[in-house]
Amino acid sequence: MTALPVATAGALGLGFWRMLGGMSSGGFDPHAVNAPILDRSLPDFTLPGLPGQGDGFDSATLRAQKEPVLLNFFASWCIPCVAEMPALRDIGRKLPIWGIAYKDKPEDAARFTARDGSPFARVAADRSGMAAIDWGVTGVPETFLILPGGRIAWHGTAELTDDTFRHEIQPRLQALR
């Protein structure tokens, strides 16, 4: 019975030691999160909307889109989410962005998106965070490029910028044409 806790502590220690080793050599990228959902169909979910901002949406509605959509997980309490909003508003003029408020009070998320103009064509609330777990979200903001039919073509684990859009997302969109 004492071997399991010792083995678990040893495995965690080894993982932490390898991470520290990668950091000292420059080989550890905290944004290089393995996204097991990439190049797969989006997970099933149904989420309610935010107060005064529609009825929310579900996976079937997202799969039924005829054009690519960016899906952004955000929260009103997230500083990088605040920082990415101007870029999202600009990108939202080029490509529809749907938002999911992650573990946020619906009233706070609604005020956040309405404050300076919402970049989201549709918005939903994931109060429990369970939908985010199914998507493999490790924090906010995170963004996914969803192709028609529901295949996930790109996943970003940091604030979305115009530079990221130009260099990582637009080439994927141009390859579809």
Side-chain angles (χ1 to χ4, degrees), residues 3-177:
L4 183 59
V6 171
T8 303
L12 289 172
L14 179 62
F16 188 68
W17 179 73
R18 290 188 61 168
M19 184 184 79
L20 289 177
M23 289 176 79
S24 66
S25 69
F28 175 72
D29 180 2
H31 298 291
V33 175
N34 180 23
I37 198 166
L38 200 56
D39 290 325
R40 294 187 180 168
S41 182
L42 59 92
D44 290 330
F45 67 92
T46 300
L47 296 171
L50 296 176
Q53 297 188 17
D55 296 330
F57 56 88
D58 60 17
S59 52
T61 306
L62 196 49
R63 280 188 194 104
Q65 296 305 299
K66 303 293 183 205
E67 298 292 328
V69 172
L70 284 175
L71 180 68
N72 177 264
F73 282 83
F74 71 95
S76 65
W77 44 262
C78 160
I79 301 301
C81 299
V82 174
E84 78 174 350
M85 288 302 266
L88 289 182
R89 280 191 286 276
D90 185 48
I91 294 166
R93 291 184 202 104
K94 303 167 192 159
L95 183 68
I97 303 174
W98 293 20
I100 295 179
Y102 170 74
K103 294 184 115 179
D104 207 346
K105 294 178 183 171
E107 305 79 28
D108 292 348
R111 268 194 305 274
F112 174 72
T113 59
R115 185 174 49 210
D116 296 321
S118 176
F120 303 118
R122 298 191 67 167
V123 67
D126 181 16
R127 289 199 70 182
S128 68
M130 295 306 292
I133 289 172
D134 291 342
W135 281 82
V137 170
T138 58
V140 284
E142 289 196 25
T143 305
F144 297 84
L145 175 62
I146 312 299
L147 300 181
R151 189 173 67 85
I152 299 170
W154 178 85
H155 175 209
T157 58
E159 141 188 0
L160 187 59
T161 64
D162 289 326
D163 191 55
T164 302
F165 181 75
R166 258 192 330 273
H167 293 101
E168 295 187 30
I169 298 172
Q170 276 188 326
R172 285 175 171 80
L173 295 173
Q174 290 169 348
L176 296 173
R177 295 181 184 149

